[in-house]
């Protein structure tokens, strides 16, 4: 395989709110770069990047698809990510390994709820990005309003680098503020572009937005700032260099415009990716931890450095089995080579390397620094694992994945398919870190948990199609959580005498709520003077974490508590790891009862877009569902209602909304935070619960 020069490599992702036009943009990129000779349309179910049957049927992206293409003298490793909140994990793991991103905004909708989510995810991973305001040909598209929202809602230092000429169906061209020229599109395929002078009626606006551009770049770049303060003119070349430095430093976001569906603006966007987004050499070296010394080490993006890569995605192929998507941060790898999994501390062999084009595989012999490829043959390697040279162990920080908010029971229609169902669920677990499966011993049910109804619906559909297992599922249930409201000191003691050697374990805990919600459970050992021997401390910790899997109110998992082991006692003969584990579990149960446990429920950030005449009915219905209205904003000829609403209140909301608005409204939502469940609802949830009938 031909080696790519690192400075000519761009690892980019397309991220956005659902229906902003990510996949349509990706399809145009594949067409103009010569990867595809025909444009695949999402609405026809023919998009290359939406290759799954479920994606083609629903017209949405479910899984992040990777491909490689070439523009000018650069090579792009491109990942098209989903926009639906149920599949946000795909965005999370893609951003972890990408060097840059194109954030697509709808010219009509502007900054929508999921736009904010993906923007925050990109902030978390420090990913430089460009903004592309799409759908400029649509009725009510407003480029200037979209930029205003990028400033106000996302807090971004952003400015237009292009302006649209014409609006809605009269969208005719794109004006480049740096070169002071207009690109006019002469044919429907957008391939024939003519550079013309700026129309007279746009010259004043061009000058206004050019000054804004220089001012905002100056805020982010010292070189441009110096010229700006001295009142010296900035050349086009200097401004481009300043924008590039500012984007790579994550201090500035240039905004572009176009219409992917109408084939306008994509080539200009590709030029911008080459000009402004970083290569692997432009970014600071990735930091890793030496597993032996626990010291931080830098991973230099060099082919001469030892091999190090991160597995960011696992997929199942019907012909070759498990495929691990990996990003190489240093060194090179060839098929047939043994590698070391630093996370699992195991040795594995890569039997085959492939370059992915959606679901098509191109076999390659070797991969180099900066590459995003797929490896076949890794049995133990999972999402988030670091693989490296056997003689140079290093760990890259793994990704954080969201906790599921909804759960459903699943079982095969035919008893004989139980084993096949188990195998299918196991493969789904390998692929999707936001999916969970537990077994409830009291009810004999298999419980699967996910990010939303659509997430679990897709899982079940895949099990039926890919594994030929007919399933039946229970009604969706909310994944409640339990926590405490005050600090308590408790003692847990486990004593058993039944002739011969007995069992003795005794622990004293301080249990308190976490200061920051979402922290989870932490355990700290403050034992002094050997009140409990050191070898029993891991058993105490295990007892705490196992006990926290099931709370005292309704058997839901416990979260956001800090457990500190402060004292205890042991017996020279009778103490054992099992005794201390049991004592810890008993102590935690006592603490949950004494510390006034409360139930928490997931609250969703919802946005309903409705024509004004139905606004009263929609707000009334939301209020009856315990929703808190956050804002009501005008958007073109509709109203966008933003609300925080409990997940328990919105199962099958789509049907109700359609009947209220004659099918003219739409909504999106995403998990936002956990909040205390009102007491009258707690009574309904906990009625009939006994500790022997714990929920999973």
């Amino acid at each position: 395989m031909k080696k790519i020069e690192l400075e000519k490599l761009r690892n980019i992702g397309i991220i956005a709110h659902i229906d902003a036009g990510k996949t349509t943009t990706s399809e145009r990129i594949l067409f103009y770069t010569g990867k595809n000779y025909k444009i695949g349309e999402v609405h026809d179910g023919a998009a290359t990047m939406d290759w799954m049957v479920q994606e083609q049927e629903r017209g949405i992206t479910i899984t992040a698809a990777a491909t490689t293409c070439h523009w000018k003298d650069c090579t792009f490793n491109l990942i098209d990510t989903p926009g639906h909140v149920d599949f946000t994990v795909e965005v999370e793991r893609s951003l972890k390994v990408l060097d840059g991103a194109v954030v697509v905004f709808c010219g009509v909708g502007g900054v929508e709820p999921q736009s904010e989510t993906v923007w925050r995810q990109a902030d978390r991973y420090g990913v430089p990005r460009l903004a592309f305001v799409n759908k400029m040909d649509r009725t009510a598209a407003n480029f200037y309003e979209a930029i205003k929202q990028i400033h106000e809602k996302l807090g971004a230092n952003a400015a237009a680098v292009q302006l649209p000429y014409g609006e809605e169906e009269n969208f005719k061209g794109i004006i480049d503020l740096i070169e002071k020229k207009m690109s006019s599109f002469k044919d429907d395929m957008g391939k024939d572009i003519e550079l013309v002078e700026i129309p007279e009626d746009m010259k004043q606006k061009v000058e206004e937005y050019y000054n804004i551009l220089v001012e905002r770049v100056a805020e982010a770049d010292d070189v441009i700032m110096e010229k700006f303060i001295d009142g010296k003119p900035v050349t086009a070349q200097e401004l481009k260099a300043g924008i590039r430095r500012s984007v790579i430093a994550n201090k500035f976001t240039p905004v572009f415009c176009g219409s992917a569906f109408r084939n306008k603006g994509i080539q200009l966007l590709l030029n911008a990716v080459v000009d402004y987004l970083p290569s692997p050499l432009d970014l600071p070296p990735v930091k890793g931890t030496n597993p032996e010394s626990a010291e931080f080490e830098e991973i230099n993006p060099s082919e001469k450095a030892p091999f190090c890569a991160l597995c960011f995605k696992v997929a199942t192929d019907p012909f070759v089995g498990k495929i691990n998507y990996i990003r190489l941060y240093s060194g090179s790898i060839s098929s047939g080579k043994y590698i070391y999994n630093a996370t699992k501390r195991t040795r594995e062999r890569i039997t085959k390397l492939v370059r992915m084009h959606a679901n098509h595989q191109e076999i390659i012999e070797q991969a180099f620094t900066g590459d995003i490829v797929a490896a076949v043959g890794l049995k133990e390697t999972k999402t988030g694992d670091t693989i490296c040279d056997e003689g140079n162990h290093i760990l890259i920080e793994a990704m954080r994945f969201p906790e599921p908010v909804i759960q459903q029971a699943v079982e095969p229609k035919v008893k004989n398919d139980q084993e096949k169902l188990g195998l299918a669920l196991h493969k789904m677990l390998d692929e999707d870190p936001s999916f969970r499966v537990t077994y409830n011993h009291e009810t004999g049910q298999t419980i699967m948990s996910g990010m939303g109804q659509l997430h679990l619906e897709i899982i079940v559909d895949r099990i039926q199609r890919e594994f030929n297992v007919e399933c039946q599922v229970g009604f969706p249930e909310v994944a409640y959580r339990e926590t405490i409201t005050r600090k308590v000191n408790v003692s847990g003691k486990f004593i058993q005498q039944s002739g011969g050697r007995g069992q003795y374990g005794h622990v004293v805990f301080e249990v308190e709520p976490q200061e920051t919600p979402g922290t989870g459970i932490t355990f700290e050992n403050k034992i002094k003077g050997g009140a409990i021997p050191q070898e029993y401390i891991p058993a105490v910790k295990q007892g705490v974490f196992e006990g926290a899997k099931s709370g005292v109110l309704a058997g839901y998992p416990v979260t956001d508590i800090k457990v500190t082991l402060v004292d205890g006692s042991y017996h020279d003969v009778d103490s054992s790891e099992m005794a201390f584990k049991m004592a810890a579990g008993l102590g935690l149960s006592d603490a949950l009862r004494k510390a006034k446990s409360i139930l928490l429920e997931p609250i969703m950030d919802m946005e309903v877009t409705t024509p004004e005449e139905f606004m009263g009915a929609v707000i009334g219905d939301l209020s009856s569902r315990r929703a808190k209205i956050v804002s009501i904003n005008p958007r073109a000829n509709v109203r966008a209602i933003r609300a925080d609403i409990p997940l328990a209140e919105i199962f099958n909301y789509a049907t109700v909304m359609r009947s209220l608005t004659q099918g003219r409204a739409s909504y999106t939502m995403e998990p936002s935070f956990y909040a205390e469940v009102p007491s009258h609802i707690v009574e309904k949830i906990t009625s009939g619960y006994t500790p022997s009938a714990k929920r999973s």
Side-chain angles (χ1 to χ4, degrees):
M1 183 192 135
K2 186 183 172 186
K3 188 169 68 174
I4 303 157
E5 292 178 49
L6 272 178
E7 60 270 18
K8 301 292 185 187
L9 183 63
R10 301 288 184 271
N11 290 319
I12 62 166
I14 311 289
I15 61 175
H17 181 89
I18 190 169
D19 207 29
K22 292 178 306 304
T23 303
T24 305
T25 303
S26 298
E27 292 299 317
R28 269 47 178 190
I29 288 174
L30 296 184
F31 176 72
Y32 292 121
T33 57
K35 189 74 182 182
N36 285 354
Y37 297 101
K38 182 185 172 207
I39 294 175
E41 299 292 8
V42 175
H43 58 269
D44 293 334
T48 304
M49 303 300 268
D50 284 352
W51 58 270
M52 290 173 65
V53 178
Q54 292 83 1
E55 293 176 317
Q56 292 165 357
E57 288 177 348
R58 292 167 172 79
I60 61 170
T61 303
I62 291 168
T63 183
T67 190
T68 302
C69 53
H70 307 276
W71 182 253
K72 293 188 171 177
D73 58 348
C74 282
T75 297
F76 295 178
N77 285 321
L78 174 73
I79 297 181
D80 175 36
T81 65
H84 200 289
V85 65
D86 283 21
F87 312 108
T88 190
V89 68
E90 295 285 335
V91 183
E92 189 84 20
R93 58 183 172 191
S94 299
L95 285 172
K96 172 72 175 176
V97 299
L98 291 171
D99 299 329
V102 175
V103 189
V104 181
F105 297 93
C106 173
V108 180
V111 175
E112 298 169 282
Q114 191 68 8
S115 309
E116 295 181 49
T117 302
V118 297
W119 194 271
R120 287 195 303 269
Q121 287 172 308
D123 278 340
R124 188 157 61 246
Y125 291 111
V127 178
R129 65 217 88 140
L130 313 178
F132 178 61
V133 181
N134 190 26
K135 303 190 179 184
M136 291 310 302
D137 60 313
R138 286 265 303 272
T139 303
N142 190 329
F143 178 72
Y144 306 101
E145 177 63 24
I147 291 183
K148 182 183 170 190
Q149 289 182 18
I150 290 170
H151 281 299
E152 293 176 357
K153 291 188 176 182
L154 303 177
N157 177 26
V161 175
Q162 298 173 340
L163 295 184
Y165 180 57
E167 293 178 348
E168 302 175 356
E169 71 272 10
N170 295 318
F171 175 52
K172 295 172 185 171
I174 294 171
I175 298 168
D176 187 323
L177 295 179
I178 300 172
E179 301 292 347
K180 304 284 178 72
K181 291 282 183 183
M182 185 172 91
S183 296
S184 177
F185 301 94
K186 301 189 77 178
D187 65 336
D188 287 342
M189 293 311 295
K191 274 195 164 185
D192 194 359
I193 300 174
E194 183 183 10
L195 283 178
V196 298
E197 293 301 315
I198 297 170
E200 281 297 323
D201 61 336
M202 286 294 291
K203 284 188 175 175
Q204 188 177 340
K205 185 163 268 191
V206 165
E207 205 53 44
E208 178 193 342
Y209 276 86
Y210 174 79
N211 292 333
I212 292 171
L213 172 63
V214 175
E215 191 177 324
R216 292 205 172 269
V217 175
E219 286 176 21
D221 185 74
D222 292 340
V223 178
I224 304 297
M225 174 61 87
E226 202 172 307
K227 289 214 155 202
F228 183 75
I229 290 172
D230 294 343
K232 292 178 182 175
V234 180
T235 67
Q237 210 56 41
E238 287 171 338
L239 185 53
K240 278 188 170 184
I243 292 172
R244 180 174 176 78
R245 288 191 297 270
S246 307
V247 169
I248 291 170
N250 243 323
K251 293 180 178 177
F252 177 69
T253 305
V255 185
F256 301 84
C257 63
S259 168
F261 185 62
R262 300 291 176 201
N263 312 309
K264 293 177 181 177
I266 301 301
Q267 299 100 311
L268 306 179
L269 181 65
L270 288 169
N271 291 340
V273 170
V274 171
D275 291 341
Y276 304 127
L277 286 181
S279 75
L281 292 175
D282 294 318
L283 297 170
V286 172
K287 283 190 168 62
T289 311
N290 186 313
E292 277 77 39
S293 65
E295 302 264 325
F296 282 114
E297 292 181 9
E298 287 189 344
I299 302 166
N300 292 309
S302 166
E303 193 193 317
K304 294 176 183 175
F307 165 70
C308 179
L310 182 76
C311 172
F312 67 95
K313 178 180 167 75
V314 176
T316 304
D317 185 276
F319 303 107
V320 299
K322 196 161 82 166
I323 296 176
N324 295 74
Y325 287 73
I326 60 172
R327 157 74 195 263
L328 277 75
Y329 286 103
S330 65
S332 61
I333 188 74
S334 53
S335 55
K337 186 178 175 182
Y338 281 93
I339 54 93
Y340 181 75
N341 183 325
T343 310
K344 300 281 193 307
R345 303 197 174 197
T346 57
R347 186 173 182 255
E348 296 215 62
R349 181 172 175 266
I350 293 176
T351 56
K352 187 168 72 169
L353 283 171
V354 294
R355 192 175 285 287
M356 299 300 295
H357 178 49
N359 63 327
H360 299 293
Q361 301 164 17
E362 174 197 339
I363 297 174
I364 56 177
E365 289 303 315
Q366 221 175 351
F368 303 93
T369 302
D371 276 342
I372 293 176
V373 295
V376 179
L378 301 176
K379 293 181 173 62
E380 301 297 325
T381 303
K382 301 271 175 60
T383 301
D385 287 359
T386 305
I387 58 175
C388 54
D389 271 343
E390 293 187 79
N392 190 71
H393 300 174
I394 194 161
L395 270 172
I396 297 171
E397 185 187 4
M399 293 156 267
R400 288 178 60 193
F401 297 115
E403 286 295 313
V405 296
I406 190 171
Q407 57 191 32
Q408 251 179 322
V410 61
E411 60 183 36
K413 284 187 178 176
V414 182
K415 200 74 177 169
N416 291 344
D417 281 348
Q418 189 68 50
E419 193 174 326
K420 280 171 72 179
L421 175 64
L423 178 68
L425 289 171
H426 182 73
K427 288 197 174 178
M428 295 293 153
L429 284 169
D430 273 352
E431 288 188 22
D432 189 348
S434 64
F435 178 58
R436 307 273 198 283
V437 175
T438 52
Y439 184 73
N440 189 317
H441 292 279
E442 280 76 19
T443 62
Q445 287 181 311
T446 300
I447 308 292
M448 54 181 191
S449 308
M451 298 305 298
Q453 277 180 279
L454 181 61
H455 186 197
L456 296 183
E457 184 186 313
I458 297 293
I459 294 277
V460 171
D461 191 39
R462 287 189 60 196
I463 288 170
Q464 291 177 339
R465 292 193 198 211
E466 294 173 28
F467 299 93
N468 296 317
V469 180
E470 286 296 314
C471 300
Q472 48 193 30
V473 295
F475 288 108
E477 290 188 9
V478 176
Y480 291 102
R481 294 287 182 267
E482 196 172 308
T483 193
I484 58 174
T485 54
R486 64 184 186 187
K487 182 177 178 178
V488 292
N489 282 64
V490 293
S491 172
K493 195 175 275 190
F494 180 73
I495 303 173
Q496 197 174 66
Q497 291 291 342
S498 55
R501 184 180 170 182
Q503 296 285 351
Y504 182 89
H506 172 223
V507 295
V508 179
F509 289 143
E510 276 181 6
V511 184
E512 57 192 310
Q514 294 278 19
E515 289 181 13
T516 310
T519 310
I521 302 167
T522 55
F523 175 83
E524 190 177 350
N525 174 26
K526 284 192 176 177
I527 288 282
K528 291 178 183 173
I532 298 175
Q534 200 61 37
E535 64 262 29
Y536 296 136
I537 303 300
V540 175
K541 184 177 179 179
Q542 189 183 355
V544 167
F545 279 87
E546 286 191 10
K549 288 179 181 176
S550 183
V552 295
L553 290 178
Y556 289 105
V558 179
T559 189
D560 292 345
I561 63 168
K562 181 181 178 183
V563 180
T564 308
L565 178 62
V566 292
D567 202 1
S569 61
Y570 72 102
H571 189 277
D572 287 333
V573 177
D574 291 349
S575 285
S576 67
E577 288 186 357
M578 190 199 84
F580 274 101
K581 184 177 160 185
M582 295 293 291
L586 292 168
L588 183 67
S589 293
D590 192 30
L592 294 173
R593 281 188 285 269
K594 289 180 177 174
K596 289 200 172 176
S597 279
I598 57 170
L599 272 187
L600 301 175
E601 63 181 343
I603 304 296
M604 310 301 282
D605 178 0
M606 174 188 267
E607 185 177 83
V608 182
T609 306
T610 176
E612 192 164 359
E613 61 261 39
F614 304 114
M615 194 170 73
V618 170
I619 290 174
D621 180 66
L622 288 174
S623 299
S624 72
R625 295 169 183 270
R626 299 193 283 130
K628 179 185 175 187
I629 307 298
V630 176
S631 64
I632 302 170
N633 295 312
R635 185 178 291 167
N637 54 348
V638 295
R639 292 289 180 270
I641 304 164
R642 196 84 178 261
D644 291 333
I645 185 165
L647 175 63
E649 301 289 343
I650 45 176
F651 288 134
N652 301 317
Y653 178 68
T655 309
V656 175
M657 185 191 63
R658 278 196 289 268
S659 65
L660 284 174
T661 63
Q662 298 172 11
R664 292 170 62 194
S666 62
Y667 76 97
T668 59
M669 63 177 181
E670 60 181 38
S672 184
F673 58 92
Y674 272 84
E676 185 176 352
V677 179
S679 55
H680 67 283
I681 293 172
V682 172
E683 288 173 19
K684 291 180 188 175
I685 297 169
T686 57
S687 62
Y689 170 76
T690 57
S692 61
K694 290 176 181 176
R695 295 172 113 108
S696 177

